[in-house]
């Protein structure tokens, strides 16, 4: 497998907290979207340098948009799962404060795993 193919399968989107669902109608998205694009670009750049890929500009132009979109799709699915689990836990056990450790961690893990699996599958089978 060539370096460019390997790079496309190893990129992850890291800037999408669950609480952004509460801010959907606000202008925060005008900050989050470019910031996420910048982080994805930096990961692609440093990953490409680490793998000694010669034409990073060509690689960036060819795949950055799909990396960005796939990351957001996966992050949204993971955030929806975290939100669903948090609401379910609140319904089942309302006296449990899920914002304290280990509650928050236990609620976040399924969403993070779903996001990781989503990114893996969407980049492996485009």
């Amino acid at each position: 497998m060539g370096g460019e193919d390997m790079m496309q399968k190893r990129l992850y989107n890291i800037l999408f907290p669950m609480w952004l669902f509460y801010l959907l109608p606000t202008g925060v998205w005008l900050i989050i979207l470019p910031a996420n694009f910048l982080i994805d670009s930096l990961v692609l750049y440093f990953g490409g340098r680490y793998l000694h890929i010669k034409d990073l500009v060509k690689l960036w132009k060819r795949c950055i948009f799909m990396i960005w979109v796939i990351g957001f799709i996966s992050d949204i699915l993971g955030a929806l799962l975290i939100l669903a689990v948090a609401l379910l836990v609140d319904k089942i056990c309302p006296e449990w404060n899920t914002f304290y450790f280990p509650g928050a961690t236990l609620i976040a893990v399924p969403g993070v795993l779903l996001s990781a699996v989503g990114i893996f599958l969407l980049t492996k089978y485009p």
Side-chain angles (χ1 to χ4, degrees), residues 35-57:
N36 204 318
F37 188 82
L38 177 65
I39 289 170
D40 289 344
S41 294
L42 289 172
V43 170
L44 179 61
Y45 172 75
F46 287 116
R49 291 213 37 211
Y50 178 77
L51 294 172
H52 306 292
I53 295 174
K54 296 188 186 323
D55 198 355
L56 284 174
V57 174

Side-chain angles (χ1 to χ4, degrees), residues 83-114:
L83 184 60
V85 170
L87 293 174
L88 182 66
V89 167
D90 189 47
K91 194 71 147 169
I92 293 171
C93 192
E95 68 277 353
W96 187 35
N97 189 345
T98 57
F99 290 107
Y100 294 121
F101 181 82
T105 304
L106 293 175
I107 288 173
V109 166
V112 172
L113 290 175
L114 179 62

Side-chain angles (χ1 to χ4, degrees), residues 3 18-19 48 66 77 81 95 110:
M18 179 187 79
W19 52 263
M66 284 307 295
L77 292 174
L81 180 60
E95 68 277 353

